[in-house]
Amino acid sequence: MKKIILTLLLLSNFLNAAYLYDKDSPLCIDDFYVKASKVYFLKSKTGHWSSTTENNTVKEIHSGYIYDADNNLCKPAKWLILGMDVKDWHFLEALTGLLFGFVFMVFTIYLFISVGKEK
């Protein structure tokens, strides 16, 4: 059972593109690597590896996009729509977690103190 759940989780992770290649003519890609100044990438639509014809840089690859197979579109992630960088988004998530943790801690301390006084 654990193997089936793990397999489903891994397969669902491969359905989403992680990058957008070349904003002028957008192309969703799942993975890429650079070899001999050429960018080799795995297309989300076909699942086949392709390469650039000229020497391109990795600067044309932008992270934070999700491939929508139904509409064949590369959609930006929520944090990218808000105009944030991925580091800013993770900082905001961590700050929110700390805030919830602090409120929970204060609430439980208050609860223990109030229960201890009711003898």
Side-chain angles (χ1 to χ4, degrees), residues 20-39:
L20 175 71
Y21 182 72
D22 191 17
K23 285 188 176 181
D24 297 331
S25 57
L27 176 67
C28 279
I29 60 174
D30 288 331
D31 196 10
F32 71 95
Y33 66 93
V34 179
K35 184 177 180 182
S37 298
K38 278 191 171 183
V39 178

Side-chain angles (χ1 to χ4, degrees), residues 63-64 79-80 84-93:
S63 64
W79 52 267
L80 196 59
M84 297 176 135
D85 188 45
V86 66
K87 293 177 185 176
D88 297 335
W89 178 255
H90 290 307
F91 176 75
L92 183 65
E93 284 182 326

Side-chain angles (χ1 to χ4, degrees), residues 11-71:
L11 285 176
S12 67
N13 191 21
F14 291 124
L15 296 177
N16 294 330
Y19 307 101
L20 175 71
Y21 182 72
D22 191 17
K23 285 188 176 181
D24 297 331
S25 57
L27 176 67
C28 279
I29 60 174
D30 288 331
D31 196 10
F32 71 95
Y33 66 93
V34 179
K35 184 177 180 182
S37 298
K38 278 191 171 183
V39 178
Y40 295 87
F41 51 88
L42 180 64
K43 293 182 181 179
S44 296
K45 183 177 180 181
T46 61
H48 297 293
W49 285 93
S50 299
S51 66
T52 56
T53 54
E54 64 275 349
N55 293 341
N56 291 349
T57 61
V58 183
K59 293 179 183 176
E60 295 181 21
I61 298 176
H62 307 280
S63 64
Y65 288 84
I66 300 170
Y67 180 64
D68 184 11
D70 296 333
N71 300 324

